[in-house]
């Protein structure tokens, strides 16, 4: 099977020859482990079209006199981000809408143009890739983007107090993400990814009732655009979502990328099979991969492989290597997935 057919059969629970595999090109892991990690990726290729060809390194000027790494950058949205571990997502330090008085004059970055030369070239590249691969594209966000424009505590207060300005900004974000959806559809994405972390370690960030009232109709507006174009919706959300995960599944997402150690693996798999939802099988990167033993990692991979082989689909192994994973654990993970998928 080609990687594309393998992925499609996983989504359809139609017995792919192997469980598909996606590697994430995390700069942190590649920087720490270097060529030996690249060699592992090359020896055990996955089913996404990513090409791993070089080892990333901190840019000039980002290493301080004491040898530590630090960068401060202003992103396209006007948020000042600080980074203290190379290759790891930073933290917002200054927010363009920390004060609501800036709302009327605040402008979003230009949305991608559907008619630009770049869009045409992107479509050509994607068409070539789609001969053999299923294309995942996106990065759409409502909650996390809002929390990069205003401090998270303020966002939650605005949400609970039903501040009118919060809803003005939220609906502007929906309009922006609609244009982003249209672009991804136009350039040929097969699967459009959303990412909003709705869970803390032990429960959801907001009540299911507020999620259902405020966010569900806005997500559904975006999902409908994707579904009308015969594309798939994939939703990433870390933490223990509780009933909010049920809301997402009820909205018709085609795939979920969840934090596996917050759910019972068998119950979650059965729920996904019942609703024909495919899940990223992302072995626990919080405890297992950085702190576990190679044998524990191999045993966990086998549990996932057994479940999703038995179900005849519905799973995609996802591997992301960061800076804190010992190489013996990285090697055990990649080789176990290759042997058992």
């Amino acid at each position: 099977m080609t990687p594309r057919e393998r992925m499609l059969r996983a989504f359809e629970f139609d017995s792919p020859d192997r469980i598909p595999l996606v590697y994430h090109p995390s700069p942190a892991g590649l920087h720490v482990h270097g060529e030996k990690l690249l060699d592992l990726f090359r020896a055990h290729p996955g089913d996404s079209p990513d090409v791993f060809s070089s080892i990333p390194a901190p840019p000039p000027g980002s290493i301080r006199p004491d040898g530590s790494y630090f960068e401060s950058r202003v992103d396209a949205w006007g948020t000042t981000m600080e980074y203290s571990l190379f290759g790891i997502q930073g933290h917002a330090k200054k927010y363009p809408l920390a004060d609501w008085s800036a709302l009327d004059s605040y402008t979003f970055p230009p949305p991608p143009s559907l008619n630009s030369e770049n869009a045409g070239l992107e479509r050509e590249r994607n068409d070539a890739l789609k001969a053999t691969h299923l294309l995942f594209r996106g990065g759409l966000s409502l909650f996390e983007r809002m929390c990069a424009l205003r401090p998270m505590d303020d966002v939650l207060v605005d949400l609970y107090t039903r501040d009118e300005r919060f809803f003005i900004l939220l609906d502007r974000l929906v309009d922006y993400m609609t244009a982003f959806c249209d672009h991804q559809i136009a350039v040929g994405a097969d699967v459009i990814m959303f990412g909003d972390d709705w869970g803390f370690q032990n429960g959801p960030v907001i009540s299911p009732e507020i999620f259902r009232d405020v966010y569900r109709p806005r997500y559904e507006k975006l999902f409908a655009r994707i579904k009308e174009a015969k594309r798939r919706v994939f939703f990433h959300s870390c933490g223990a979502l509780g009933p909010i995960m049920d809301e997402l599944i009820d909205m018709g997402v085609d795939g979920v990328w969840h934090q596996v150690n917050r759910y019972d693996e068998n119950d979650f798999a059965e729920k996904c099979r019942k609703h024909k939802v495919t899940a990223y099988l992302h072995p626990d990167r919080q405890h297992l991969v950085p702190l576990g033993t190679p044998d524990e990692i191999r045993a966990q991979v086998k549990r996932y492989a057994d479940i999703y082989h038995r179900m005849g689909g519905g799973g995609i192994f996802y591997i992301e290597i960061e800076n804190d994973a010992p190489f013996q654990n990285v090697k055990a993970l990649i080789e176990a997935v290759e042997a058992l998928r």
Side-chain angles (χ1 to χ4, degrees):
M1 288 183 187
T2 64
R4 182 181 183 88
E5 184 179 2
R6 188 172 295 122
M7 285 280 194
L8 288 171
R9 288 202 177 203
F11 274 105
E12 295 298 325
F13 289 77
D14 188 22
S15 299
D17 59 342
R18 308 182 78 191
I19 298 173
L21 166 63
V22 170
Y23 289 121
H24 181 273
S26 171
L30 286 166
H31 176 65
V32 168
H33 297 299
E35 286 292 336
K36 59 187 179 181
L37 179 54
L38 278 183
D39 289 343
L40 269 178
F41 287 156
R42 291 166 181 151
H44 308 294
D47 295 296
S48 52
D50 304 296
V51 176
F52 305 96
S53 58
S54 62
I55 305 300
S62 63
I63 303 300
R64 295 184 285 200
D66 64 1
S68 63
Y69 161 81
F70 178 79
E71 284 190 87
S72 177
R73 301 196 297 263
V74 180
D75 68 15
W77 295 79
T79 304
T80 299
M81 300 291 297
E82 290 189 354
Y83 304 83
S84 57
L85 288 172
F86 177 67
I88 301 294
Q89 176 64 30
H91 295 278
K93 288 296 181 181
K94 294 183 181 178
Y95 304 84
L97 294 175
D99 188 328
W100 275 129
S101 64
L103 179 62
D104 289 343
S105 60
Y106 178 72
T107 58
F108 288 2
S113 171
L114 297 178
N115 300 313
S116 69
E117 180 180 353
N118 285 340
L121 292 172
E122 187 177 359
R123 176 69 198 220
E124 289 178 12
R125 289 193 298 269
N126 287 346
D127 284 346
L129 290 170
K130 286 170 67 172
T132 52
H133 291 83
L134 198 71
L135 294 190
F136 289 66
R137 295 289 186 267
L140 283 80
S141 170
L142 297 179
F143 178 62
E144 289 186 27
R145 175 52 58 192
M146 182 81 83
C147 292
L149 298 177
R150 282 178 61 73
M152 182 178 178
D153 288 353
D154 292 346
V155 169
L156 293 175
V157 170
D158 296 336
L159 175 59
Y160 277 87
T161 60
R162 303 303 176 102
D163 192 300
E164 179 183 3
R165 295 163 296 188
F166 169 90
F167 287 94
I168 290 171
L169 180 59
L170 179 59
D171 286 330
R172 285 178 62 188
L173 276 174
V174 171
D175 290 342
Y176 184 91
M177 295 302 168
T178 299
F180 196 89
C181 274
D182 289 345
H183 174 80
Q184 294 297 338
I185 292 167
V187 300
D190 294 301
V191 183
I192 297 179
M193 303 282 293
F194 288 72
D196 276 321
D197 289 343
W198 281 115
F200 292 127
Q201 285 290 92
N202 297 307
V205 173
I206 63 174
S207 72
E209 293 77 17
I210 291 178
F211 179 89
R212 192 176 304 122
D213 180 48
V214 174
Y215 282 95
R216 177 165 177 162
R218 291 168 171 87
Y219 283 133
E220 287 182 321
K221 178 181 177 181
L222 295 166
F223 293 178
R225 212 166 188 95
I226 296 166
K227 296 286 192 171
E228 287 164 7
K230 309 298 183 187
R231 313 301 168 88
R232 289 179 165 86
V233 174
F234 214 97
F235 204 105
H236 167 66
S237 199
C238 281
L241 274 63
I244 289 178
M245 179 61 78
D246 296 331
E247 292 287 327
L248 292 171
I249 290 174
D250 189 55
M251 281 188 270
V253 299
D254 300 286
V256 289
W257 172 7
H258 59 304
Q259 186 177 341
V260 294
N261 63 339
R262 301 294 92 192
Y263 301 85
D264 178 277
E265 58 203 37
N266 288 289
D267 290 347
F268 191 84
E270 288 300 326
K271 179 182 294 187
C272 287
R273 176 164 63 175
K274 178 180 177 182
H275 297 277
K276 207 171 183 180
V277 173
T278 293
Y280 265 178
L281 311 177
H282 183 182
D284 170 25
R285 209 168 75 238
Q286 185 177 28
H287 301 290
L288 177 66
V289 176
L291 302 173
T293 67
D295 283 345
E296 288 171 335
I297 290 169
R298 283 187 282 266
Q300 183 62 65
V301 170
K302 186 178 188 304
R303 283 193 288 272
Y304 287 131
D306 288 347
I307 290 169
Y308 288 89
H309 281 307
R310 184 178 70 248
M311 295 203 309
I316 299 170
F317 275 114
Y318 175 92
I319 294 178
E320 181 173 349
I321 305 301
E322 291 189 340
N323 61 307
D324 58 352
F327 190 71
Q328 65 267 25
N329 286 7
V330 174
K331 188 171 185 290
L333 173 62
I334 292 173
E335 291 181 347
V337 169
E338 174 67 16
L340 296 167
R341 73 187 186 100

